[in-house]
Amino acid sequence: MKIFSSVVFLCLLVICIASCAKKTTPTATVIAAQPKASLVINIEEGQRIYQASCGRCHRLPSPAEFTQRQWTPIMDRMCRKARFTENQKANALAYVLENAKAI
Ligand code: HEC
């Protein structure tokens, strides 16, 4: 009987220690967000690509034909048509906005 109770005691002790053992929290896998490659704006390059590409389907519009506010959505549409990369678009947009109609 004494042996039996000490076995029970030992079992309880083991269960207690096991349940009190520090739970290992699953370590979250942190996927570091890739920093977006920063765009280097080059207005001269923007002018070059604008003049080379934006007259392909229609006459080349002058940047002064539209205001900055008008150009922004137009460039969103047209740079897609011209299949510009993100950087080419940023350059062309910078050129256009620089030379856009005042108001
Ligand atoms: C693949 C052919 C194509 C290319 C390349 C292209 N365009 Fe266009 N563009 C069009 C078509 C088609 C229209 C008329 C329909 C429309 O507005 O979507 C148009 C219309 C326009 C208009 C008149 C929009 C308006 O709202 O009055 C402007 C301004 C313009 N394009 C500028 C550009 C510029 C700037 C580029 C260079 C980034 C460019 N386009 C490249 C096909 C093209």
Side-chain angles (χ1 to χ4, degrees):
M1 193 61 190
K2 201 163 182 229
I3 288 178
F4 176 73
S5 60
S6 50
V7 165
V8 168
F9 175 76
L10 266 178
C11 285
L12 286 175
L13 192 69
V14 166
I15 289 169
C16 182
I17 289 172
S19 65
C20 292
K22 198 164 173 265
K23 300 251 179 342
T24 50
T25 46
T27 46
T29 332
V30 178
I31 301 162
Q34 289 289 318
K36 246 189 158 189
S38 50
L39 298 173
V40 180
I41 306 296
N42 182 333
I43 292 187
E44 278 166 33
E45 173 57 21
Q47 176 175 15
R48 194 195 62 73
I49 196 166
Y50 178 94
Q51 289 172 348
S53 312
C54 298
R56 278 207 324 252
C57 303
H58 41 67
R59 67 171 182 86
L60 183 69
S62 162
E65 285 176 39
F66 298 95
T67 63
Q68 292 192 346
R69 187 188 284 253
Q70 291 169 318
W71 266 123
T72 309
I74 293 173
M75 288 300 275
D76 276 345
R77 265 191 299 136
M78 291 300 144
C79 290
R80 226 174 293 139
K81 281 194 195 290
R83 300 193 187 284
F84 282 1
T85 65
E86 208 181 333
N87 214 144
Q88 288 172 325
K89 178 183 171 183
N91 288 340
L93 185 64
Y95 162 70
V96 162
L97 295 183
E98 181 88 355
N99 297 284
K101 187 156 72 172
I103 290 289

